[in-house]
Amino acid sequence: MTDITDLGVAEIRDGFRGGAFSAREVAEAFNDAVAGSDALNCFIVKTPEKALEAADEADRALAAGEAKPLSGVPLGIKDLFCTKGVQSTAASHILEGFVPPYESTVSGNLLEAGAGMLGKLNMDQFAMGSSNETSYFGNVVSPWRRNDGGNTPMSPGGSSGGTSSAIAAHIVPAATGTDTGGSIRQPAAFTGICGMKPTYGRCSRYGMVAFASSLDQAGPMARSVKDCAILLEAMAGYDAKDSTSLNEPVPHWEAGLSGDLKGKKIGIPKEYRVDDMPEEIDALWKQGVEWMRDAGAEIVDVSLPHTKYALPAYYIIAPAEASANLARYDGVRYGLRETPDGANLQEMYAATRAAGFGDEVKRRIMIGTYVLSAGFYDAYFTQATKVRTLIARDFDQAWDSCDYLLTPTAPSAAFGLGDLSDDPIAMYLNDVFTVPSSLAGLPAIAVPGGLSKQGLPLGLQIIGKALDEQGVMNAGLAMEDRAGFTARAEKWW
Amino acid sequence: MVSNYRIQGATGEWEVVIGLEVHAQITSHSKLFSGASTEFGQEPNCNVSLVDAAMPGMLPVVNGECLRQAVRTGLALNAQINRWSRFDRKNYFYADLPQGYQISQLFHPIVGEGEIEVSLDEKDPEGTVKTIGIERIHVEQDAGKLMHDQHPTMSYVDLNRCGVALMEIVSRPDMASPAEAGAYVRKLRSILRYVGSCDGNMEQGSMRADVNVSVRKPGDELGTRTETKNVNSIRFIQQVVETEARRQVDLIEDGGTVVQETRLFDPDKGETRSMRSKEDAHDYRYFPDPDLLPIELSEEFVAEAKASLPELPDAKRHRYENELGLSAYNAAVLTAEAETARWFEGLAAESAKKQGKPEADVAKAAANWLISDLFGGLNKLGVDLDSSPISAAQGAELLALVADGTLSGPLAKQVFEIMLETGDDPEKIVEEKGLKQTSDTGAIEAVIADILAANSDKVEEYRGGKDKLFGFFVGQTMKAMQGKANPKVVNELLRKALG
């Protein structure tokens, strides 16, 4: 019999419905995998009882002919999502012990669709990071290792590093991620899985701990494009509780999947050919072009002239929003409170926030506070918002000549934990290919394309027009079919 | 018109320049960005949603009714309605502000420039009118309330008010005396109450003002201003202007300089004191709130808001004068408050119906009775018009009884006093107490015959040419009739009897 943990979302769903196994068997198999994965540190909270409860309900529902779209499928939930009755911390000390009395819309939608919850996945603190080294609850370790026999612990990417590591290690079949500047796509690329950031507004932000409100977007991460489609269909939808939520019907993405790209044009943005890009990334990109052509697409060169300003603009806008979004963690109502002897209100704030936030979070709060300050606002924030408009316009103009863009997902393969942790700028450069589409609010998918010489996964990214998740996933599927990425990290944990 | 209010200083006369930022709580059932109730006077922290408490991941969703009320207010102030506006975050830390920022509008307020005409003399509402400019109205969240007296070492926070919608109505620095500032706030409050966008209850804190004051020598450039925060009565606003202007003049004349700063008013001492100077002023780091989309108002929305406006005080005052024939003073008194006008209109309508006459024919008597009799009576009872023991319908009934001759003036006064005391219908009182005026000629003639017989000397004198004695006979007759005889009938019969 196959190992259930080898299966993805579609296979579990179909096998469960076909009677190949019960939901309880599925939940138990993954609960065991989760329990045995401590070396990866993917989970902040494990909830095997929740997974079993949902599984028993799924088994009952199936017997009663009431199975739901995700009945029988257990998932991981990134700790950025508030989950009712289960500690939700955004991997921070300041929210340690915080148990929300409410459920985020996205996790609620998944549970409502019949999914079970295996636990809360580790991540970069407040989703700030690209290596999963900023979590208060420790680094997440990728299941992947270089093929040099050195056993260097590798970064799973970030901020959705717990998610990417757990999926790559087959300890969850799929999970939620969130993407502000690349936090779904870069970790997906680092761990050889798929990750989809939908159009800004597709998934409600209600109940998702805010990092940068105008950029934050939830999305699925899984081992196949199809699984991403299945999950996104359940996660997405208009939510009156989020004013930026899009009031658009949710298409049947899974049913609409097709890898045939005949008549489609794929744009190759020349500005994405950055200096110092490793040769193997460039080679994979060229390979991607061939796969797209093979799928029937026409390849065109396009220009996104303001690309080089995207990263600086992002690292102004995102911290600016974060500096306000994180003001609520003040020790007054919930979470950590530090009261040094005789402390007044200001001193309590200072002590609480000093103890409760990690260095990277503090760095971004300070950057954000600085760029919004009197005298600097126009030079930084206003300028950055103008750049953002220009970047969105670049994409709009590109759509005159193509349907999708094909780019690498990240400028390198995964790096070792600790390699970049002293160099914030080098760390920020990881987002160079993912940030522009985030600023423009466009849907984009990361799909694994192959392995580096060191045996680490490399990913390619498809970016599409607003609301064209279907097209993006179709192009992703065409690539997935041709890449035939079956490599898997050898179990060492 | 130019104010002649001057502060006498050692170096001559000084002018005061006043601008007001009025914070008016918008009348709505729920808060600006959450579904929590806005009801006043609840137990602490009963009206608090997850959004108000700024729980992680909670998002604001704008309450359209609050925007509609702001637009209606803007329209009532003849102001520019900005079809595109946006909310900004104003960042600062305080325990009554859970989000760590207030959602407000700095860059693009919903309402732009407008104006208010204020009358400076109630007795002569047309004579002394001044136009005060409105710079803008923006919509923002109120903060919670800190309670420092509940625990020896800790402060408590009540978030019931947190997130309630406020309009900040910013005037131009167009006022030049305490009286003008008072008249402006009174008129603004009146308009808000007419519109129904704010209840204007300053004692409950639903309307309060930041008072900006500077002084200058007549004709000079504007001086440096101070801002006195959260002043919560018209009397205090005027007091702030007086004391702050005096303080600034004394300071300058003693060789000092006014510093731009925020001050607080101490009503017990009747003085302002410094709260924080410009140097320690917060840098609020305003930026557009990314959780909220810009507000785009459709033409229809604005048109509907406009159509929903009631007749406003100035228009009403003119109509009372021109169509109902009221004096300027009476019209001004009756229209100053929406509640008074509403009551008066009920009274006039009922009067017209009961007397079968057009409103214009009964309005004057109704206005006089309301202003002199009812206001006087309520004043003695110490109650407001909205808790008057006499209803408009009962008032109209009383006026009808006078008009049809059932009650004489003096009788009507007696009936009114009883109504005030008991709340009974005038007809019932007339019936029970037998206060009905009589025109029964037989009864009156009998009384007259008795009086003439008992005063034959005076009858002789009258007939001998002492005309003034007629009044004596009227008085005697009325007295004998216990005031209930119809004076007109008494006069006629007396003349006949006296020949």
Side-chain angles (χ1 to χ4, degrees):
Chain A
M1 190 196 150
T2 45
D3 184 344
I4 287 175
T5 61
D6 284 344
L7 306 178
V9 173
E11 295 156 318
I12 292 170
R13 176 193 64 187
D14 298 343
F16 159 69
R17 289 189 184 179
F21 38 73
S22 68
R24 191 168 182 94
E25 286 172 299
V26 176
E28 282 171 348
F30 280 103
N31 278 343
D32 288 349
V34 169
S37 71
D38 286 357
L40 300 176
N41 198 28
C42 293
F43 284 88
I44 295 175
V45 177
K46 296 166 186 162
T47 56
E49 70 295 341
K50 295 255 172 207
L52 289 177
E53 197 182 304
D56 290 346
E57 168 56 21
D59 286 329
R60 187 208 60 75
L62 183 66
E66 299 164 359
K68 296 177 178 176
L70 291 177
S71 285
V73 181
L75 300 172
I77 302 291
K78 187 179 180 180
D79 201 36
L80 201 64
F81 295 92
C82 288
T83 42
K84 190 173 179 177
V86 178
Q87 179 186 261
S88 304
T89 67
S92 71
H93 181 37
I94 207 158
L95 280 175
E96 194 173 7
F98 172 65
V99 178
Y102 50 89
E103 187 79 36
S104 81
T105 297
V106 162
S107 56
N109 285 349
L110 290 169
L111 300 179
E112 189 55 39
M117 181 168 81
L118 292 161
K120 299 299 291 289
L121 290 161
N122 204 347
M123 53 182 277
D124 275 307
Q125 193 172 142
F126 284 105
M128 297 175 186
S130 303
S131 63
N132 218 122
E133 291 169 290
T134 71
S135 168
Y136 176 73
F137 300 95
N139 299 343
V140 174
V141 184
S142 172
W144 291 89
R145 285 176 167 176
R146 292 190 183 112
N147 54 13
D148 58 5
N151 295 345
T152 308
M154 303 303 295
S155 165
S159 69
S160 307
T163 301
S164 64
S165 179
I167 295 168
H170 289 244
I171 58 181
V172 301
T176 61
T178 68
D179 192 313
T180 304
S183 282
I184 284 176
R185 292 162 285 167
Q186 182 256 20
F190 275 20
T191 56
I193 64 167
C194 294
M196 171 85 193
K197 181 196 96 72
T199 310
Y200 179 79
R202 267 291 189 200
C203 291
S204 169
R205 294 184 296 114
Y206 178 86
M208 199 170 91
V209 172
F211 160 19
S213 310
S214 74
L215 294 153
D216 294 344
Q217 188 54 210
M221 297 171 76
R223 287 188 300 270
S224 73
V225 172
K226 184 180 182 181
D227 284 0
C228 284
I230 294 169
L231 239 57
L232 184 58
E233 224 172 290
M235 294 163 72
Y238 173 66
D239 181 7
K241 295 198 288 266
D242 172 4
S243 307
T244 62
S245 167
L246 291 169
N247 196 351
E248 296 284 339
V250 176
H252 296 295
W253 286 307
E254 182 192 6
L257 282 177
S258 155
D260 183 358
L261 299 184
K262 258 191 224 74
K264 299 293 181 193
K265 290 181 183 169
I266 307 273
I268 308 299
K270 65 175 183 197
E271 290 79 6
Y272 280 52
R273 203 167 299 277
V274 295
D275 297 342
D276 309 329
M277 188 154 76
E279 197 276 323
E280 55 193 6
I281 300 277
D282 197 40
L284 177 66
W285 195 6
K286 286 185 177 123
Q287 177 63 64
V289 167
E290 289 316 310
W291 288 331
M292 294 292 95
R293 201 170 270 145
D294 183 59
E298 185 189 331
I299 307 299
V300 296
D301 286 328
V302 298
S303 173
L304 301 168
H306 297 92
T307 299
K308 67 176 168 191
Y309 304 114
L311 214 51
Y314 173 84
Y315 276 99
I316 290 169
I317 292 170
E321 293 181 10
S323 72
N325 281 336
L326 271 60
R328 64 186 56 198
Y329 308 110
D330 59 6
V332 174
R333 297 166 312 285
Y334 48 77
L336 184 71
R337 175 188 289 182
E338 291 286 330
T339 47
D341 267 350
N344 64 21
L345 182 65
Q346 290 300 327
E347 289 157 350
M348 187 278 281
Y349 285 153
T352 299
R353 290 165 67 83
F357 290 137
D359 288 347
E360 182 60 27
V361 174
K362 287 178 194 162
R363 174 165 23 243
R364 298 204 194 188
I365 291 174
M366 286 191 285
I367 292 171
T369 304
Y370 180 81
V371 299
L372 291 175
S373 299
F376 298 102
Y377 182 86
D378 285 336
Y380 290 102
F381 190 76
T382 306
Q383 207 63 9
T385 54
K386 286 180 186 167
V387 167
R388 186 176 191 176
T389 304
L390 292 173
I391 284 166
R393 193 178 299 163
D394 282 356
F395 282 107
D396 279 345
Q397 284 164 357
W399 303 139
D400 290 343
S401 54
C402 67
D403 299 291
Y404 319 114
L405 297 167
L406 172 67
T407 80
T409 307
S412 72
F415 43 84
L417 288 168
D419 284 359
L420 299 183
S421 46
D422 292 334
D423 188 350
I425 301 290
M427 190 69 86
Y428 295 170
L429 284 170
N430 260 281
D431 300 329
V432 66
F433 298 134
T434 47
V435 152
S437 45
S438 288
L439 287 170
L442 301 175
I445 195 167
V447 178
L451 293 178
S452 73
K453 289 186 199 76
Q454 294 184 315
L456 297 174
L458 298 172
L460 288 168
Q461 174 181 228
I462 303 283
I463 302 167
K465 298 169 193 167
L467 295 175
D468 190 17
E469 284 82 3
Q470 187 72 68
V472 168
M473 288 192 279
N474 285 351
L477 181 66
M479 192 147 61
E480 182 179 54
D481 286 346
R482 284 159 185 79
F485 185 87
T486 52
R488 182 171 167 178
E490 215 169 294
K491 188 172 187 303
W492 53 263
W493 55 92
Chain B
M1 71 149 257
V2 177
S3 166
N4 53 14
Y5 181 83
R6 294 288 182 276
I7 298 130
Q8 300 299 327
T11 61
E13 291 193 329
W14 295 77
E15 286 178 353
V16 61
V17 178
I18 308 153
L20 293 174
E21 292 162 28
V22 172
H23 299 261
Q25 184 182 320
I26 296 175
T27 303
S28 65
H29 294 299
S30 51
K31 296 183 179 180
L32 181 54
F33 296 114
S34 83
S37 165
T38 57
E39 200 177 326
F40 181 78
Q42 298 289 97
E43 287 292 305
N45 296 311
C46 282
N47 298 345
V48 184
S49 76
L50 295 168
V51 175
D52 305 324
M55 301 300 279
M58 290 300 106
L59 299 170
V61 176
V62 73
N63 176 348
E65 175 61 12
C66 296
L67 300 182
R68 197 179 77 92
Q69 290 287 34
V71 168
R72 293 175 77 242
T73 304
L75 291 166
L77 301 179
N78 295 311
Q80 163 79 32
I81 303 302
N82 294 326
R83 299 267 299 279
W84 193 95
S85 66
R86 200 168 60 184
F87 284 105
D88 302 303
R89 292 184 182 177
K90 176 183 181 179
N91 296 286
Y92 65 95
F93 283 93
Y94 205 52
D96 63 5
L97 187 74
Q99 292 167 144
Y101 53 84
Q102 178 195 32
I103 305 178
S104 180
Q105 297 187 300
L106 176 71
F107 300 108
H108 299 279
I110 191 164
V111 177
E113 285 192 77
E115 60 184 38
I116 295 187
E117 276 197 353
V118 300
S119 158
L120 302 176
D121 180 0
E122 206 184 52
K123 296 246 187 295
D124 181 13
E126 306 282 348
T128 49
V129 172
K130 179 160 180 172
T131 302
I132 309 292
I134 304 287
E135 187 183 312
R136 56 187 275 158
I137 302 177
H138 63 255
V139 176
E140 63 186 21
Q141 298 175 297
D142 206 345
K145 198 171 79 182
L146 293 187
M147 294 179 285
H148 301 294
D149 55 358
Q150 308 283 309
H151 188 278
T153 59
M154 287 192 272
S155 292
Y156 284 19
V157 187
D158 176 7
L159 296 179
N160 281 352
R161 209 181 58 192
C162 181
V164 166
L166 299 177
M167 289 179 277
E168 183 170 328
I169 303 162
V170 183
S171 83
R172 294 270 173 212
D174 285 350
M175 287 154 279
S177 71
E180 287 184 15
Y184 166 78
V185 176
R186 258 191 298 275
K187 184 63 174 283
L188 179 61
R189 185 175 61 182
S190 163
I191 294 173
L192 296 179
R193 284 174 169 166
Y194 266 80
V195 169
S197 57
C198 172
D199 65 24
N201 292 335
M202 297 185 87
E203 61 286 354
Q204 287 181 3
S206 47
M207 205 174 138
R208 49 192 195 265
D210 298 343
V211 185
N212 290 285
V213 174
S214 64
V215 295
R216 64 177 172 189
K217 284 287 177 64
D220 277 5
E221 296 288 299
L222 285 177
T224 304
R225 67 186 164 87
T226 62
E227 180 181 22
T228 304
K229 287 277 194 195
N230 276 328
V231 187
N232 65 357
S233 84
I234 291 175
R235 191 162 62 83
F236 290 161
I237 290 169
Q238 301 192 152
Q239 237 174 307
V240 164
V241 173
E242 279 166 34
T243 58
E244 185 54 22
R246 184 77 250 173
R247 188 190 69 85
Q248 291 183 13
V249 166
D250 291 348
L251 182 65
I252 297 168
E253 292 191 330
D254 287 348
T257 17
V258 176
V259 288
Q260 190 174 336
E261 61 180 355
T262 305
R263 299 180 70 84
L264 276 181
F265 180 64
D266 182 342
D268 296 329
K269 292 186 181 154
E271 60 187 33
T272 66
R273 60 184 156 82
S274 181
M275 194 169 130
R276 57 172 183 262
S277 71
K278 197 186 174 189
E279 286 71 42
D280 342 303
H282 291 121
D283 178 356
Y284 290 118
R285 307 188 311 279
Y286 279 96
F287 75 106
D289 192 324
D291 283 333
L292 293 160
L293 299 175
I295 305 151
E296 292 181 45
L297 304 177
S298 69
E299 212 169 310
E300 295 76 53
F301 180 88
V302 178
E304 275 167 32
K306 188 157 200 167
S308 77
L309 285 182
E311 186 182 31
L312 294 169
D314 285 346
K316 207 181 264 299
R317 180 162 57 82
H318 290 134
R319 181 168 65 83
Y320 284 7
E321 286 181 51
N322 300 335
E323 293 178 23
L324 299 183
L326 302 192
S327 69
Y329 173 76
N330 277 3
V333 170
L334 292 177
T335 55
E337 291 297 335
E339 176 59 19
T340 312
R342 200 185 55 76
W343 214 98
F344 168 70
E345 286 176 15
L347 177 69
E350 280 289 322
S351 287
K353 204 169 83 189
K354 286 197 159 72
Q355 298 177 36
K357 291 178 186 167
E359 268 185 44
D361 292 357
V362 300
K364 236 180 203 170
N368 286 332
W369 175 78
L370 176 55
I371 292 173
S372 45
D373 293 9
L374 186 60
F375 280 176
L378 294 177
N379 209 10
K380 264 183 256 163
L381 292 182
V383 298
D384 292 331
L385 190 56
D386 58 5
S387 38
S388 164
I390 301 174
S391 71
Q394 289 175 319
E397 184 59 45
L398 180 63
L399 290 171
L401 291 172
V402 174
D404 72 6
T406 308
L407 291 177
S408 63
L411 273 181
K413 283 253 191 269
Q414 282 186 53
V415 173
F416 170 71
E417 295 296 337
I418 298 168
M419 288 168 76
L420 208 52
E421 209 171 289
T422 62
D424 283 345
D425 286 342
E427 277 182 322
K428 181 176 170 231
I429 297 167
V430 166
E431 211 54 54
E432 283 179 6
K433 310 261 176 191
L435 290 175
K436 211 172 189 157
Q437 173 171 273
T438 181
S439 304
D440 178 343
T441 46
I444 299 172
E445 274 168 347
V447 167
I448 287 175
D450 286 349
I451 286 166
L452 295 194
N455 296 283
S456 51
D457 48 339
K458 296 228 166 50
V459 174
E460 284 310 313
E461 283 177 48
Y462 176 80
R463 284 181 178 145
K466 216 167 175 187
D467 285 357
K468 280 184 182 161
L469 278 170
F470 189 73
F472 164 80
F473 294 114
V474 172
Q476 290 295 308
T477 311
M478 291 303 281
K479 193 174 164 193
M481 294 294 295
Q482 294 165 307
K484 287 179 244 170
N486 182 333
K488 216 171 123 201
V489 175
V490 169
N491 279 351
E492 274 169 29
L493 294 178
L494 265 176
R495 277 190 210 290
K496 211 164 86 188
L498 287 166

